[in-house]
Amino acid sequence: MTKPLSQIRNFAIIAHIDHGKSTLADRLIQTCGGLEEREMQQQVLDSMEIERERGITIKAQTVRLAYTAKDGVEYQFNLMDTPGHVDFSYEVSRSLASCEGSLLVVDATQGVEAQTLANVYQALDNNHEIIPVINKIDLPAADVDNAKQQIEDVIGLDASEAVSVSGKTGIGIPGLLEAIVKRLPPPHEGDANKPTKALLVDSWYDTYLGVVVLVRVIDGYLKKGQKIKFMSNGRTREIDRVGMFTPKHVLLDELGPGEMGFITAAIKDISETNVGDTITDDKKPCDKALPGFKPSVPMVFCSFYPADAGDFEKLKTSLGKLRLNDASLHYEMETSQALGLGFRCGFLGLLHMEIIQERLEREFDLDLIPTAPSVVYKINMTNGDQIELYNPVDMPDVVKIDNIEEPWIKATILVPDEYLGGLLQLCQDRRGVQIDLTYAGGRAMLVYRLPLNEVVFDFYDRLKSISKGYASFDYELDGYGENDLVKLEIRVNDEPVDALAMIVHRASAEYRGRAMCERLKELIPRQMFKIAIQAAIGGKVIARENVSALRKDVTAKCYGGDITRKKKLLEKQKKGKAKMRQYGNVEIPQSAFIAALKMGDE
Amino acid sequence: MSDAPDLEFLPGEMGVYFHWPFCASKCPYCDFNAHVADNVSHERWRAAYQRAVSHYAEMLPDKRVVSIFFGGGTPSLMEPESVAAAIDAVRAGWPCSNTLEVTLEANPTSVEAAKLAAFREAGVNRVSLGVQALNDADLSFLGRAHDAAQAVHAIKISQEIFERVSFDLIYARPSQTLEGWRDELCRALDLARGHMSLYQLTIERSTPFYLRSKRGEFVMPGEAMGADFYHLTQDVTEEAGMPAYEVSNHAVAGQECRHNMIYWTGADYIGIGPGAHGRFMRDGAVYASRDHHAPEVWLSRVEADGSGAHPFEAVDAAGRFEAGLMTGLRLCGGVDVEALSKTSGKSFNDMVDLKKLDVAVREGWAVFDGVRLRLTREGILRLNALLPYLLV
């Protein structure tokens, strides 16, 4: 039943957000008869609501298509839709590792974007054959030549044989399908007689099936009833289903060398199925796991607190549900004096964090208070120990610290000339180190090394506002580096406000501290007592503000009817006290801290 | 039955409040239940007040009335016959103290001043005049229908007719200076005989002033300025022998308004008229009453079944304690916490955070001898913040 390798083509589609990747995929599916016209709903691949809205793919997906080429042979196409953002770059790399070629989709009206670059480079790292595809040629603003020129100038690929298409109207699709057969290679290796060896491309939780595992078979077969082993953790399971997506679920007897599809094996916990793992036969294992496996490591951290303390249990359950489908989401409970009970969460990156927050708010109807995002610092102690710091609150005593290392990124920014000055300034302000500055097609390509902690703090928003939305930005992690970092503590009446603590570079500590003090001064209502707000590094106060004590707060009139009204006000004030936090002799409403956090990115 | 002390009330002693919901024009700062209507049927209202009184008299037979108060609105627009009828109804419904205080709020326009003798005939023995300011510019800003000369005239006429006369002033007005207020207050003290109410102007939502101040048409004195105004007011009135006995009320000793003392000491009162509130003991439990707000609705309810009230709400022990503390601390004499604990059924120690009370005493805001808790001037100035701070 399985196809010979020569009749299989496994390929990914690489594109920037909005460049029409999903529309093109839909068109390929439809042209090959994977779905009838009436079954097509726009962008069938991006099934999650949030994926569709934001135009990003979070989970890898595959679709198997049957295409009868002009040579009369029916080919098996396995179309891989990869996660589209750098936060999921490891997941992207494993998706790409399961293919031999890529379609590089460039919008004829937009040209190449930074995000495209990173994924192209990953495809090249995986020895992909790449077909440049110029999309949206039906639009009046389409400039095919310019798009080709950019592919050559910015990426360095030969674009002379680029295929021009419109995913929307279907122009050029037949030519593209032929190009896939002729120009993309079949799977390089694959021996049906060798022990089973398959790449775990991705996995997700399905309420009815349990964990569904997306696989690419290298050698041997995956069959129903087979006992398999996950090589990274040694777990064994019996396969209860083998199948493919067309994009409908279709059950198969087996998956053979070079093929892609899914298996289920009564797995309940997605953390068993690690992306990039090698699946083999339990009794007759392959001798070596596939290269490139890495356990997922969260890079960005922040805490979520329910705005309504009564929602804590709901938040806990909701995170659990998201975790079912997202092994890279980490969380543990924490208690904040200022904000109550919540969770410290770890994410692959900023977008991952945003997506999780948005899903919690939208799908689970939670009102969340996120703390300022933070990164993982490595703290080298004077006694030679190294500890990893996930939360500024846990910073050890400075006298015991020898030095602090912070994570750096390599950022690639593409920006129209006119906004270059502003962006250079922004990168400079954020302690960036310029690595490269080149021009292509009226745009500058900036490569900078930047500390990740400067990027998690409103960098992306600033970038977008400076460039009026025209700059595109992408990054990869680029190791750790020692720096003069300090814990900036905010104190109210001499007591630290845990939720507002942050790690900052000493040079920006005073500015950030002053900004936070000024903000709190605006937000904390005046009370009977003077309130001292301070920003401090260690024992040293670097900025201070006072909320002066109120001198007068009394209702002028209180007669018969006013008593009821005043009494209601008093009830409200007393209820509000439950949401107050005690700092010295004053009680500060939680809402002030929430507002301070919300204003964090202004 | 012997007479109780004037300002302390025995169980069963009660005040009766009548609300007259109509005004000749509505003042831009006022958020009271007041309406401008041309064709008020005085006969119907008169009958309704009588009917509502007898309804309460049946419901609360064991009371003794020590005060009647006509508020509004502008009750000086009532026909004196109506006032007489209401007073007579009360006298018919309950035994009354032979020092019964009967107050009527009046505007110092010439028309209303002309009716004062008739109100006296009707049984009123105390008037409270809505003077509000003693200069024409501010009176016009406040939307009042009288000028300063009319106000002075009305005060003098009233003092000839009634033994007890009070008047209201509003201060801490936009663009008012401390010096200007001192001068005006001194002139007021020269005119005053026994009692004055001095209110800081407050911008209430749902008033024309609210919108106008939002739009920036005028700027209200800030909190610090408000405090300065208050201190000046206390200093000047104390020196003149008319100190405050409540946040905004001043009297020479013995001239305090008995009716308002009922509110602040937690004694019983019933409220009759649109939007009027009451609070009274009945069969051992305390109830709060609230009459229908809309004049027409109230009128037709009373005509139909004798009562214009919504269903009474029971007030629990904690609610009684808190209301008692809230109003009692407005009084310069403070509140007897032993008595409050006894009448409310909640112990002081359970309701008040004693550590915080200590702080308040140390800060100079409160004085506490174990029985009577009173706020100092600085404490009274912070009452709204102090109350939730002190309560557990």
Side-chain angles (χ1 to χ4, degrees), chain A residues 473-508:
Chain A
F473 162 77
D474 203 351
Y475 71 88
E476 60 187 270
L477 292 166
D478 197 24
Y480 272 75
E482 185 186 327
N483 228 319
D484 191 5
L485 299 166
V486 292
K487 176 181 171 187
L488 178 63
E489 201 172 66
I490 302 297
R491 298 182 195 157
V492 171
N493 279 355
D494 291 327
E495 290 187 33
V497 182
D498 50 11
L500 300 181
M502 52 189 150
I503 306 271
V504 295
H505 191 265
R506 191 179 297 276
S508 55

Side-chain angles (χ1 to χ4, degrees), chain B residues 346-367:
Chain B
K346 276 277 177 186
S347 100
F348 182 73
N349 296 3
D350 288 346
M351 295 297 291
V352 171
D353 186 327
L354 295 177
K355 272 193 199 136
K356 288 180 174 175
L357 179 56
D358 264 353
V359 174
V361 169
R362 272 206 308 278
E363 293 283 342
W365 298 327
V367 178

Side-chain angles (χ1 to χ4, degrees), chain A residues 93-312:
Chain A
S93 81
R94 294 307 84 199
S95 299
L96 294 175
S98 70
C99 302
E100 286 75 39
S102 291
L103 308 183
L104 165 63
V105 180
V106 176
D107 186 328
T109 68
Q110 305 277 326
V112 176
E113 300 292 349
Q115 195 190 71
T116 323
L117 278 182
N119 286 346
V120 171
Y121 294 146
Q122 283 222 19
L124 290 171
D125 287 347
N126 279 289
N127 298 315
H128 274 201
E129 200 59 51
I130 294 173
I131 303 176
V133 178
I134 315 293
N135 193 19
K136 302 197 188 178
I137 59 166
D138 58 305
L139 294 182
D143 186 344
V144 175
D145 288 340
N146 179 50
K148 284 186 182 178
Q149 192 63 46
Q150 282 198 26
I151 290 172
E152 298 201 344
D153 291 350
V154 180
I155 304 176
L157 280 179
D158 177 9
S160 62
E161 288 189 81
V163 184
S164 298
V165 302
S166 163
K168 198 168 134 208
T169 66
I171 309 169
I173 297 297
L176 179 58
L177 289 165
E178 279 302 304
I180 291 167
V181 171
K182 294 218 179 74
R183 288 165 58 184
L184 296 185
H188 302 301
E189 46 177 345
D191 189 336
N193 299 316
K194 280 193 179 172
T196 306
K197 184 196 264 186
L199 173 66
L200 195 161
V201 178
D202 209 343
S203 62
W204 56 86
Y205 187 83
D206 182 292
T207 322
Y208 303 105
L209 306 175
V211 175
V212 177
V213 183
L214 194 61
V215 291
R216 154 71 197 271
V217 179
I218 310 296
D219 295 324
Y221 292 91
L222 288 170
K223 295 178 183 173
K224 185 174 172 177
Q226 184 182 4
K227 195 161 180 200
I228 51 165
K229 182 160 84 178
F230 296 95
M231 291 181 77
S232 72
N233 53 24
R235 301 294 284 265
T236 59
R237 292 282 175 181
E238 192 180 303
I239 296 178
D240 54 20
R241 279 185 203 81
V242 176
M244 61 174 178
F245 300 102
T246 70
K248 289 178 277 194
H249 280 226
V250 176
L251 292 185
L252 298 170
D253 296 330
E254 60 188 20
L255 290 169
E259 291 191 321
M260 290 191 195
F262 70 86
I263 57 170
T264 65
I267 302 166
K268 293 274 176 293
D269 186 354
I270 198 163
S271 59
E272 273 183 40
T273 56
N274 298 310
V275 170
D277 201 354
T278 304
I279 300 171
T280 190
D281 189 273
D282 182 40
K283 293 211 183 62
K284 235 174 52 178
C286 60
D287 52 356
K288 219 167 74 192
L290 292 159
F293 171 75
K294 277 195 292 190
S296 91
V297 182
M299 286 311 301
V300 175
F301 286 79
C302 89
S303 304
F304 289 146
Y305 290 88
D308 177 351
D311 278 345
F312 174 76

Side-chain angles (χ1 to χ4, degrees), chain B residues 55-77:
Chain B
H55 187 89
Y56 269 115
E58 269 173 47
M59 190 193 314
L60 306 168
D62 300 326
K63 303 288 179 187
R64 180 165 173 271
V65 176
V66 294
S67 164
I68 300 172
F69 195 102
F70 293 90
T74 310
S76 52
L77 295 176

Side-chain angles (χ1 to χ4, degrees), chain A residues 526 551 553 556 559 574 577, chain B residues 199 223 248 322 381 388 391:
Chain A
R526 298 176 67 194
R551 286 187 56 199
D553 183 10
Y559 301 111
K574 280 184 66 193
K577 268 167 80 171
Chain B
Y199 303 109
E223 177 204 314
S248 305
E322 284 173 6
L381 258 178
L391 285 168

